[in-house]
Amino acid sequence: MKLSRAEVEHIAELAKLGLTEEEKKKFCEQLSAILEYAEVLQQLDTEAIPPTATVLPLQNVMRPDKVAPSFPREDILANAPDVAEGCFRVRAILE
Amino acid sequence: MKYEAIIGMEVHAELLTRSKMFCSCSAAFFGAEPNTLTCPVCTGMPGVLPVINRKAVEYTIMTALALNCEIAEASVFSRKNYFYPDLPKSYQISMYDLPLSENGWLEIEVDGNSRRIGIERVHLEEDTAKLFHVGGYSLVDFNRSGVPLMEIVSRPDMRSADEAYAYLIKLRQILRYLGVSSGDMEKGAMRCEANVSLRPVGSAEYGTKVEVKNLNSFRSVKLALDYEIRRQSRILDERGNIEQVTMGWDEDRGVTVVQRSKEYAHDYRYFPEPDLPPLSISREWVEEIKAKLPELPDARRDRFVAEYGLPAYDAGVLTADKAVADYFEACVRAYPQAKTISNWIGGELFRLLKEAETGIEEVKVTPAALAELLTLVEKGTINQNTAKAVLGEMFRSGRAAAEIVAEEGLAQISDADELGPVIDEVIAAHPDEVAAYRAGKERLLGWFVGQVMKATRGKANPQLVTSLLKEKLQRRQ
């Protein structure tokens, strides 16, 4: 299965990546190769195997509804690119 | 042409858990200083691990049961991927192909007709951060990020704005009865989006649907849907095409405006959340939750009719809000005359609450205090009108009825010897009216009663005044 150029551009757009012409060509080939490998796996007979969302032998890992202290605000804001009024400040967002 | 509206609703409700969905930060963010209820998990720092809040799962199952849904045996959280500054991980942990529950229904009543509205699914996810737009920048407050959010998706079963409104009211009523969400739309604890399409009456095919957002109050839901139905009818009448778009309700202008067209349609690339092991919901747990379900609004309304002999209307008014229904039942325990209590709650007390813009949870008049007041009326210590004034004072100060009556000398005058001279004075002061009454204008009796009440500052026993007046007016004839 070969991915089209338009599909690669769409995926790049969803991931907010700006790709050069050269990269588009390169990822088109690489992503197509991954899909081809998936096609090989799809030939396996999985009729008797239930679908799973995890590879770990775990389920129902939950915690009680208890509040613990939050982090100091200055620690949380320490990584912010910009801060104002106790908030992370980012460029204006337009819908 | 005549069209039929097809409306489906998506409702998001913040759950009243103490802590957030996947971390132990407090979920009670309302009014907190920005970013003071945050940690590396709810701000999406690399390398952290989310852990499911068991209570949030329980609340969702509770709601699903109350909405007659089937509870899944296996449920899996998924990542919904998109970029937005209110979403620090660039994905929202939500549910996709294996939600906690599906296939339920909710009964609504519009114009006396009951209808079942299908529930497609009830699932669990996390809320996003809050954005403020100031001076060319956007500020992000992560206090709300990660608060448990329940999504309730209806089937497209509603046929009018009134039905959509009734659905929302009913849904909020159930959420509040369950105690799982405040359902407060003005505070954003309950948010809704509607899908609206039209089709010619009789047609089986669906038309193009339009999503309506920014519905911040029950009132705006009704107004926006009415507007949108009219807008689409007009386009169809002019043989135009409905575009598949997202519209936002502009409350100030009273119109819906295009927010986003289909070309930006999201491709969320859902996949199972690898950080959260799947949920296996045992039937024992479901039964345990079912056993804890409180009596729901419809059942309680029917019981009020059967147990207290109330008219259906009264029962509906009293059970609309769980706190009111609880208050009513506490009053009945203290003063077992259900209809009298219903009249006082639905009349005077509601009027006082409305005037003070407050809720019954805040009321200073305890059920025992209201019972005491009604006992004073029953014994004839005070009359109905005085009781209304006393209730107003009790409502403001929280003082006991007997105390107010004693201190302000409001006790009813039921003594004929005391009332006699007052009546004589009134009669003597109004010879013209007395003559008119005697000439057959019997309607004046009420006016005389009013004069006596005025002279006694409203304290006279009205029945006694009426009979004494009749007697005295006739005697001189």
Side-chain angles (χ1 to χ4, degrees):
Chain A
M1 189 180 160
K2 185 103 172 96
L3 268 184
S4 72
R5 213 183 109 98
E7 282 168 319
V8 170
E9 282 170 353
H10 177 63
I11 294 164
E13 166 61 24
L14 287 174
K16 298 277 178 268
L17 292 174
L19 301 182
T20 62
E21 284 307 311
E22 218 166 285
E23 284 170 325
K24 281 178 194 167
K25 194 164 167 284
K26 185 166 120 193
F27 289 129
C28 199
E29 282 161 15
Q30 288 187 352
L31 290 170
S32 295
I34 292 168
L35 283 180
E36 272 158 31
Y37 181 65
E39 274 177 354
V40 174
L41 290 178
Q42 272 175 341
Q43 289 166 15
L44 287 170
D45 179 10
T46 55
E47 196 62 31
I49 302 166
T52 181
T54 180
V55 292
L56 300 172
L58 291 172
Q59 58 181 20
N60 297 339
V61 180
M62 291 185 261
R63 44 171 256 278
D65 182 27
K66 286 216 180 93
V67 175
S70 291
F71 271 48
R73 180 159 77 180
E74 51 282 18
D75 289 0
I76 288 297
L77 292 175
N79 286 324
D82 197 1
V83 173
E85 298 172 47
C87 290
F88 289 74
R89 189 164 87 156
V90 298
R91 276 185 298 173
I93 300 144
L94 301 165
E95 179 69 35
Chain B
M1 200 188 285
K2 270 296 253 182
Y3 301 104
E4 176 181 52
I6 309 288
I7 304 169
M9 298 273 250
E10 252 178 51
V11 171
H12 285 91
E14 279 168 356
L15 295 177
L16 286 171
T17 53
R18 291 194 182 88
S19 65
K20 290 189 181 181
M21 187 61 230
F22 300 116
C23 63
S24 299
C25 288
S26 169
F29 65 89
F30 197 82
E33 283 292 307
N35 293 301
T36 52
L37 304 175
T38 59
C39 73
V41 174
C42 56
T43 52
M45 299 293 173
V48 296
L49 271 181
V51 188
I52 299 165
N53 183 336
R54 193 173 199 271
K55 197 84 192 172
V57 177
E58 190 179 310
Y59 279 175
T60 306
I61 294 174
M62 246 175 124
T63 307
L65 288 171
L67 297 174
N68 309 291
C69 291
E70 297 155 16
I71 310 301
E73 305 252 356
S75 184
V76 169
F77 281 101
S78 287
R79 289 187 181 179
K80 177 181 182 178
N81 300 278
Y82 65 94
F83 295 98
Y84 210 67
D86 65 4
L87 193 67
K89 305 186 295 298
S90 291
Y91 58 84
Q92 179 190 32
I93 303 179
S94 179
M95 287 177 160
Y96 183 54
D97 53 344
L98 294 167
L100 268 170
S101 68
E102 289 175 286
N103 295 326
W105 51 266
L106 170 67
E107 195 163 278
I108 59 163
E109 207 181 287
V110 173
D111 299 331
N113 300 313
S114 287
R115 280 200 59 212
R116 270 189 189 186
I117 305 300
I119 303 288
E120 194 174 301
R121 60 193 274 151
V122 180
H123 80 224
L124 191 51
E125 57 189 36
E126 56 177 339
D127 210 344
T128 57
K130 239 183 157 146
L131 296 172
F132 306 93
H133 308 286
V134 273
Y137 287 91
S138 291
L139 302 179
V140 196
D141 171 11
F142 287 99
N143 284 348
R144 196 182 68 181
S145 173
V147 167
L149 197 62
M150 183 169 62
E151 182 172 323
I152 301 154
V153 184
S154 87
R155 295 199 187 282
D157 287 350
M158 286 156 273
R159 296 290 172 266
S160 66
D162 283 341
E163 286 191 4
Y165 182 81
Y167 170 83
L168 271 186
I169 293 278
K170 190 60 175 287
L171 188 56
R172 179 180 66 164
Q173 191 187 23
I174 290 173
L175 296 180
R176 291 170 61 111
Y177 262 69
L178 295 172
V180 300
S181 175
S182 73
D184 192 333
M185 282 190 84
E186 278 75 12
K187 282 185 182 161
M190 179 164 147
R191 312 193 273 273
C192 82
E193 290 156 34
N195 285 305
V196 191
S197 67
L198 296 190
R199 67 181 175 194
V201 171
S203 163
E205 262 171 71
Y206 289 122
T208 307
K209 72 179 177 189
V210 167
E211 200 179 339
V212 185
K213 292 192 170 202
N214 199 29
L215 304 170
N216 298 325
S217 68
F218 288 94
R219 193 176 145 267
S220 66
V221 168
K222 206 165 155 159
L223 294 174
L225 291 181
D226 271 332
Y227 178 86
E228 185 59 24
I229 291 167
R230 281 201 308 276
R231 185 187 75 89
Q232 291 188 24
S233 306
R234 209 160 46 230
I235 294 174
L236 292 173
D237 279 341
E238 289 161 6
R239 304 199 165 275
N241 282 321
I242 306 288
E243 268 183 278
Q244 186 172 349
V245 287
T246 298
M247 308 285 282
W249 171 244
D250 184 331
E251 182 86 42
D252 295 334
R253 291 195 290 146
V255 294
T256 53
V257 284
V258 177
Q259 277 194 330
R260 209 191 284 143
S261 66
K262 184 65 188 158
E263 55 198 288
Y264 290 102
H266 286 134
D267 178 347
Y268 293 121
R269 296 158 293 150
Y270 282 98
F271 62 86
E273 166 59 91
D275 288 343
L276 293 170
L279 293 173
S280 168
I281 314 293
S282 76
R283 298 305 95 176
E284 290 74 36
W285 194 22
V286 175
E287 285 309 314
E288 205 179 292
I289 295 169
K290 202 182 267 176
K292 280 197 287 189
L293 281 182
E295 186 180 30
L296 291 168
D298 286 356
R300 198 167 197 185
R301 185 195 58 207
D302 295 347
R303 181 169 64 78
F304 274 23
V305 172
E307 189 177 329
Y308 301 119
L310 289 176
Y313 175 80
D314 289 46
V317 169
L318 292 171
T319 55
D321 180 351
K322 182 172 182 286
V324 172
D326 289 344
Y327 185 87
F328 166 79
E329 292 212 271
C331 289
V332 173
R333 278 193 293 276
Y335 184 80
Q337 303 226 24
K339 180 59 182 154
T340 306
I341 289 173
S342 170
N343 291 345
W344 278 88
I345 293 178
E348 276 309 286
L349 192 61
F350 275 11
R351 192 184 62 73
L352 290 164
L353 288 172
K354 199 174 167 193
E355 213 175 75
E357 291 175 17
T358 178
I360 201 144
E361 296 89 340
E362 319 290 329
V363 83
K364 287 180 189 151
V365 184
T366 62
L370 183 65
E372 189 204 331
L373 175 72
L374 299 184
T375 307
L376 290 179
V377 177
E378 194 184 308
K379 285 197 301 194
T381 311
I382 51 173
N383 63 36
Q384 287 275 343
N385 274 331
T386 306
K388 283 183 188 171
V390 172
L391 182 64
E393 182 52 32
M394 290 164 74
F395 185 87
R396 280 180 288 277
S397 65
R399 287 159 70 208
E403 187 189 317
I404 296 167
V405 169
E407 265 177 36
E408 306 194 7
L410 295 173
Q412 180 164 260
I413 307 170
S414 297
D415 183 347
D417 292 341
E418 199 176 330
L419 284 175
V422 181
I423 292 172
D424 290 340
E425 263 173 51
V426 167
I427 288 175
H430 301 93
D432 295 349
E433 284 80 4
V434 172
Y437 177 84
R438 286 179 182 158
K441 211 171 170 193
E442 291 189 3
R443 279 192 297 115
L444 276 173
L445 184 64
W447 180 84
F448 278 110
V449 173
Q451 294 304 306
V452 176
M453 294 308 279
K454 211 162 130 189
T456 57
R457 290 195 299 126
K459 294 186 294 184
N461 177 330
Q463 285 84 18
L464 185 61
V465 170
T466 307
S467 67
L468 286 175
L469 264 172
K470 267 190 188 162
E471 201 187 301
K472 284 178 188 281
L473 284 166
Q474 273 159 11
R475 198 187 297 157
R476 295 194 189 175
Q477 220 160 6

